[in-house]
């Protein structure tokens, strides 16, 4: 697909043409069953479902910022519930130390 800058200047157009990192990682992975996913943000519901379905057993990410929560709180909270239901360990890390 084209990566012309004008295609990505509009946020809605950009998001319709890109994948979240979690899905991209799973698509390019040879083995995911029983693995740990280290991600840069708490996963959204769609990414949580991909991680669960792929057999990931543990997800580690930084604690979400207030800015991120203001936009994604309901999705992040639902994803956390999905991980709990699927018995996937979900760990938040804050500034180099683990929290629960």
């Amino acid at each position: 697909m084209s990566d012309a800058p004008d295609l990505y200047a509009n946020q809605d157009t950009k998001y319709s043409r890109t994948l979240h990192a979690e899905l991209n990682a799973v698509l390019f992975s040879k083995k995911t069953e029983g693995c740990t996913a280290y991600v840069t943000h708490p996963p959204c519901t769609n990414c949580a479902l991909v991680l669960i379905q792929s057999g990931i057993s543990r997800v580690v990410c930084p604690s979400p910022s207030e800015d991120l929560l203001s936009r994604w709180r309901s999705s992040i909270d639902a994803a956390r519930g999905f991980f709990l239901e699927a018995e996937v360990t979900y760990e938040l890390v804050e500034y180099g130390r683990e929290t629960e």
Side-chain angles (χ1 to χ4, degrees):
M1 294 178 63
S2 172
D3 63 351
D6 60 314
L7 292 173
Y8 298 93
N10 175 281
Q11 189 173 23
D12 289 335
T13 301
K14 174 184 172 182
Y15 287 148
S16 73
R17 299 177 61 85
T18 59
L19 299 175
H20 283 186
E22 297 91 335
L23 177 55
N24 199 41
V26 167
L27 288 171
F28 280 93
S29 295
K30 301 219 184 302
K31 177 190 179 293
T32 54
E33 188 73 34
C35 291
T36 298
Y38 292 90
V39 295
T40 60
H41 295 57
C44 67
T45 53
N46 289 336
C47 290
L49 294 172
V50 166
L51 294 169
I52 291 165
Q53 187 64 29
S54 72
I56 295 288
S57 63
R58 179 174 168 236
V59 175
V60 179
C61 62
S63 296
S65 66
E66 285 305 316
D67 177 57
L68 187 69
L69 287 173
S70 73
R71 295 175 284 128
W72 289 89
R73 182 182 301 274
S74 63
S75 186
I76 290 170
D77 289 347
R80 179 188 291 247
F82 294 167
F83 290 135
L84 181 64
E85 181 180 340
E87 299 180 356
V88 171
T89 302
Y90 179 67
E91 298 176 30
L92 297 177
V93 177
E94 188 170 340
Y95 304 109
R97 71 183 215 295
E98 294 183 16
T99 61
E100 292 190 40

